[in-house]
Amino acid sequence: MSILTSTVPTAPAGGGGPHHPTRVPSGRGLSWAQVRAALPGALRKLDPRSLVHQPVMFVVEVGAVLTTVLAILEPTVFAWWVAVWLWFTAGFATLAESVAEARGKAQASTLRATQHATTARKVVASQDTLDTGTRLDLLETTVVPSSTLGVGDVVVVEAGETIPGDGDVVEGVASVDESAVTGESAPVIRESGGDRSAVTGGTVVLSDRIVVRITAPAGSTFVDRMIALVEGSERQKTPNEIALNILLTSLTIVFLLAVATLQPFAAYSGHKQPVLVLVALLVCLIPTTIGALLSAIGIAGMDRLVQRNVLAMSGRAVEAAGDVDVLLLDKTGTVTYGNRRAVRLLPVGTVRHDELAAAARLASLADETPEGRSIVELVDDALEPGQALPAGAELVPFTAHTRMSGVDLDLGTDDQPEAYRLRKGAGSAVRQWLHSTGAHVTEADAAQLAGYVDDVSRSGGTPLVVAEQTGQAPARVLGVVHLKDVVKEGMRERFDALRAMGIRTVMVTGDNRLTAQAIAAEAGVDDFLAEATPEDKLAYIRREQHGGRLVAMAGDGTNDAPALAQSDVGVAMNTGTSAAKEAGNMVDLDSDPTKLIEIVEIGKQLLITRGALTTFSVANDVAKYFAILPAMFAGVFPQLEVLDVMRLSSPESAILSAVVFNALIIVTLIPLSLRGVRYQPAAADALLRRNLLVYGLGGLVAPFVGIKLLDLLVSLIPGV
């Protein structure tokens, strides 16, 4: 039949190029420009009321004040040098935190630049009127400043206008430019209902018209919260960081007691030490290195996430990501593209492949669902565009009620009309239509059709049946279209990488077990949860957590919100609903679920960096102990000369060299604390060995070398 071999030319499918979001410069180095920008903040942080929250550095500042007073009362070159370098030690500590915060504020200022005053066309109607189902775009509107909008207000936004606030699309569909927020140049589709209804204030509608219900009050939009969270000063300490602070405080108290009790022994031996020397000794022995860099490490961890277009709502979320054991991934829109796509055509009986292709294409022209469009695209790739749809053709659109689409034609003449009808849809719907026409399918065709349907269903796909009817003759089945969820590229490799990190991946879906099993096998996840309700996801996460495991989840739908809120690390896609973004403690602006690997790596990098620098700091203190004490007491106790391996020039030179080294090592390690120790997947014992060999041994060796070199220089200073 000629009509079945004709095709209709269509416009090429839209779509952007490869995904290339803009990135905030990583700032791996420490430039002078960064230092100059951070200096004012560093000086402000020397306020004791600010520094008291960092006990180690607070002790350093108290020591600096005390030595300054002593230097004023009994001025000597040695006293003033010690006082100056103790102030430098406190200043370098606040500089490290200030540099980290300045980087966050620079990123925040970039985001703030995307905001500008806008107006909104607010719908003038009571809430009762809005709930009656009246077409909102036909209601009266009034122009108001966007800053006056409140939660629940409804606005109309047309092409070329800026969306005035965060909200959900309640009517219409439009393409939206979100590049100001995500950096992605390709527009995205936002439509009412489903999981792609959330819109962000400050983004621009490119086509059509949408009606938006505001979900966030002015001043607390997604971008506003993003700016506040990116700024390092808004970051709260994590439980792990608080525990480490307690450890550092305890060590400081121990060393304080040790130094305080040292004076009676020194007096008894006839070699009483000046208070200035004891203060300098205390500052050198307490863990100043990690105490100075601890805040900078935490802030830098959050900043590294922002550089990858991931917004962490708290430092705890970044930290938890480093210890994740189980990762739950929502199938639709996360593991798969979210819309089923036509992948092949299966003709029945004597029907030719090109005959089925042309019929499936014509029957799908009125189907505006993603599945229907994918059939047209599949056939267009196989057939040459040519003839247009015949005049008088009547398209039958797809509806949720009929679950079919098609086309009605008249293939006869004016004298002898002959109706021709094509239908494509769910198997049960097409069977009812066939039955209504009195169709009779041969046993061979019925068996072949059943086999196709079973094969497609077992593979996790969805079968659509295509049938035709000519004139008054019974309809006949032409074949089956195979629809399937398409797994996103690179997912298997990503899951292999997660497995290497010791993380078990679980795909969660509402699909039946057969479909879930097929998709899980194709994607390469470790396990799956089929026919999952929101309650099932929540129960699964709680079971894992009760077993002592940390759980991360990525999702984008409202039905994912409870699980995102319960999980230790909940990553919501930016394309998802407002409920999902509010429930999660991270938002991926690129809406790329595979970004979870980078999130986990950054979390692990944060913990490893903290552990590495703690190891270095403790080893550093041990080395400084052996540098200072023998030089101080070797004159009284000759037996200590065997420990004076550095052979420093004098007790004063030893103390001042240690104080200077103590300050300079902080500056040296600021770039590492901002960049983070490189993460490589490895077992915990291997990481411990690396820490001890690299940072532990380095922490022991560096002071011996550094203090000896400084001693050679310090000994040249008159009066020391």
Side-chain angles (χ1 to χ4, degrees), residues 228-282:
L229 290 164
V230 166
E231 292 180 332
S233 58
E234 299 296 328
R235 186 189 67 91
Q236 295 183 346
K237 294 185 185 300
T238 65
N240 183 283
E241 191 175 350
I242 292 172
L244 188 52
N245 258 320
I246 293 173
L247 173 63
L248 298 181
T249 303
S250 302
L251 289 175
T252 301
I253 294 173
V254 169
F255 280 116
L256 181 62
L257 294 175
V259 171
T261 56
L262 191 64
Q263 186 71 314
F265 288 104
Y268 177 78
S269 64
H271 199 70
K272 188 175 181 180
Q273 297 294 320
V275 175
L276 182 75
V277 171
L278 294 177
V279 171
L281 176 64
L282 173 63

Side-chain angles (χ1 to χ4, degrees), residues 208-560:
D208 304 296
R209 163 196 286 212
I210 51 176
V211 179
V212 177
R213 191 186 300 275
I214 300 298
T215 57
S220 62
T221 65
F222 180 68
V223 174
D224 291 318
R225 297 195 304 275
M226 193 170 160
I227 291 170
L229 290 164
V230 166
E231 292 180 332
S233 58
E234 299 296 328
R235 186 189 67 91
Q236 295 183 346
K237 294 185 185 300
T238 65
N240 183 283
E241 191 175 350
I242 292 172
L244 188 52
N245 258 320
I246 293 173
L247 173 63
L248 298 181
T249 303
S250 302
L251 289 175
T252 301
I253 294 173
V254 169
F255 280 116
L256 181 62
L257 294 175
V259 171
T261 56
L262 191 64
Q263 186 71 314
F265 288 104
Y268 177 78
S269 64
H271 199 70
K272 188 175 181 180
Q273 297 294 320
V275 175
L276 182 75
V277 171
L278 294 177
V279 171
L281 176 64
L282 173 63
V283 171
C284 289
L285 295 185
I286 62 177
T288 52
T289 306
I290 185 62
L293 299 174
L294 189 57
S295 291
I297 293 169
I299 295 170
M302 292 186 69
D303 286 348
R304 281 195 292 276
L305 276 181
V306 174
Q307 291 161 14
R308 289 161 177 79
N309 276 9
V310 177
L311 171 64
M313 304 298 185
S314 69
R316 185 186 184 281
V318 185
E319 203 170 82
D323 286 329
V324 162
D325 303 296
V326 181
L327 172 60
L328 268 66
L329 293 155
D330 182 49
K331 176 185 74 70
T332 305
T334 306
V335 176
T336 67
Y337 279 104
N339 295 319
R340 293 170 299 172
R341 298 183 180 184
V343 293
R344 60 174 177 158
L345 303 173
L346 303 168
V348 169
T350 59
V351 177
R352 301 189 312 274
H353 187 277
D354 62 338
E355 188 178 1
L356 172 60
R361 186 185 188 286
L362 285 174
S364 302
L365 289 177
D367 186 355
E368 291 299 324
T369 64
E371 292 85 355
R373 291 194 293 269
S374 75
I375 295 174
V376 176
E377 292 171 3
L378 175 69
V379 174
D380 280 347
D381 290 338
L383 299 179
E384 296 182 3
Q387 303 174 23
L389 190 66
E394 182 180 345
L395 296 176
V396 179
F398 173 86
T399 66
H401 176 70
T402 63
R403 294 187 298 156
M404 292 190 302
S405 65
V407 63
D408 291 342
L409 303 172
D410 185 356
L411 300 180
T413 63
D414 293 339
D415 297 332
Q416 293 183 329
E418 184 179 30
Y420 175 76
R421 297 192 294 168
L422 268 176
R423 293 294 183 270
K424 174 229 65 189
S428 58
V430 174
R431 275 197 300 272
Q432 292 179 359
W433 182 75
L434 288 170
H435 184 266
S436 68
T437 68
H440 175 71
V441 182
T442 65
E443 288 188 12
D445 288 353
Q448 188 179 17
L449 178 64
Y452 285 156
V453 170
D454 289 343
D455 289 344
V456 171
S457 299
R458 273 199 301 271
S459 69
T462 301
L464 296 181
V465 178
V466 182
E468 69 170 3
Q469 181 186 29
T470 303
Q472 298 301 315
R476 65 167 184 154
V477 175
L478 298 176
V480 172
V481 179
H482 181 179
L483 296 178
K484 65 171 291 188
D485 278 335
V486 178
V487 175
K488 294 183 177 181
E489 293 83 0
M491 293 301 288
R492 177 173 287 276
E493 291 76 12
R494 292 283 190 166
F495 291 142
D496 289 342
L498 286 168
R499 198 172 295 111
M501 295 179 189
I503 299 173
R504 185 163 61 92
T505 53
V506 180
M507 184 187 77
V508 183
T509 177
D511 287 340
N512 61 70
R513 184 174 181 82
L514 203 61
T515 300
Q517 186 174 15
I519 296 297
E522 183 179 352
V525 296
D526 297 313
D527 200 0
F528 65 90
L529 184 64
E531 299 177 353
T533 64
E535 291 78 12
D536 293 333
K537 299 176 189 177
L538 202 58
Y540 187 93
I541 292 173
R542 285 173 176 166
R543 282 199 304 272
E544 294 290 342
Q545 290 172 331
H546 288 162
R549 288 174 285 273
L550 289 183
V551 181
M553 177 173 175
D556 60 355
T558 300
N559 64 328
D560 297 324

Side-chain angles (χ1 to χ4, degrees), residues 650-714:
S650 66
E652 290 80 6
S653 175
I655 292 170
L656 183 55
S657 298
V659 170
V660 173
F661 177 83
N662 201 48
L664 293 180
I665 198 65
I666 294 173
V667 179
T668 305
L669 292 176
I670 288 177
L672 179 61
S673 67
L674 297 180
R675 182 177 67 248
V677 175
R678 183 180 178 185
Y679 168 72
Q680 293 177 330
D685 57 341
L687 290 174
L688 179 60
R689 280 197 303 272
R690 187 182 75 169
N691 269 2
L692 292 176
L693 289 174
V694 177
Y695 297 97
L697 187 59
L700 282 173
V701 173
F704 283 98
V705 176
I707 291 174
K708 180 60 180 179
L709 292 175
L710 287 169
D711 177 72
L712 296 175
L713 296 174
V714 168

Side-chain angles (χ1 to χ4, degrees), residues 2 57 59 69 176 272 355 511 521 652:
S2 61
M57 301 318 301
V59 170
V69 172
V176 179
K272 188 175 181 180
E355 188 178 1
D511 287 340
E652 290 80 6

